[in-house]
Amino acid sequence: MSGGASGIRSLPLGSIALWIVRAVLAAEFLYSGYLLFAGGHTEQTFAEIGLGQWLRYVTGVLEVGGAIGLLVPRFGGPSALLLAGIMVGASVTELFILTDGGPVLPLVLLIITATLAWFLQDQTRALFGIEPPEDDEDYR
């Protein structure tokens, strides 16, 4: 990354695109977490799931925490992985547990968060001290 005459360093287009995706996902999960804490229709949804309202609060905390983590460079990868896991649970719930479930949004968010987690896997590996595989050409 080189700095121009103005002293501003330029970011590659891919990096900018990843930050845009991270910001949009963070906004979506912050809003979703807010809805989980606010109650309303989410109380009815979690009552239909049958595990109690504690699951709504835990899900809200994880979504808000994951959203904030997406915006912290070091935690972006693990946060995307966490949110992808939450979306697996939401998709399964919408498909198989809820009578009038709508699985489209959770499935779309699952695809986006899992793809983001894949692109940010270096951050996840660095945070947990995991070495890349020997035969991984991207690390040679």
Side-chain angles (χ1 to χ4, degrees):
M1 303 206 193
S2 62
S6 64
I8 299 173
R9 65 179 198 186
S10 62
L11 292 174
L13 189 57
S15 180
I16 293 170
L18 284 177
W19 274 106
I20 290 171
V21 170
R22 289 166 83 160
V24 170
L25 279 175
E28 167 61 31
F29 282 106
L30 282 172
Y31 178 68
S32 177
Y34 162 76
L35 290 177
L36 288 169
F37 289 119
H41 78 282
T42 58
E43 284 184 28
Q44 298 164 354
T45 302
F46 279 82
E48 188 177 342
I49 293 170
L51 294 176
Q53 294 300 310
W54 66 270
L55 183 60
R56 178 170 60 99
Y57 292 113
V58 169
T59 304
V61 167
L62 291 174
E63 286 187 5
V64 169
I68 293 168
L70 284 176
L71 301 175
V72 178
R74 183 176 181 177
F75 300 121
S79 295
L81 200 56
L82 167 73
L83 293 169
I86 293 169
M87 288 302 101
V88 167
S91 298
V92 168
T93 301
E94 294 284 351
L95 283 168
F96 301 113
I97 297 175
L98 298 177
T99 55
D100 293 328
V104 175
L105 180 61
L107 288 170
V108 169
L109 290 173
L110 170 59
I111 292 167
I112 295 170
T113 54
T115 303
L116 182 63
W118 184 79
F119 276 108
L120 300 177
Q121 64 181 297
D122 292 344
Q123 295 174 354
T124 306
R125 288 180 177 172
L127 187 66
F128 294 114
I130 300 170
E131 292 293 324
E134 297 270 337
D135 61 345
D136 196 343
E137 293 179 12
D138 293 337
Y139 290 95
R140 290 186 184 175

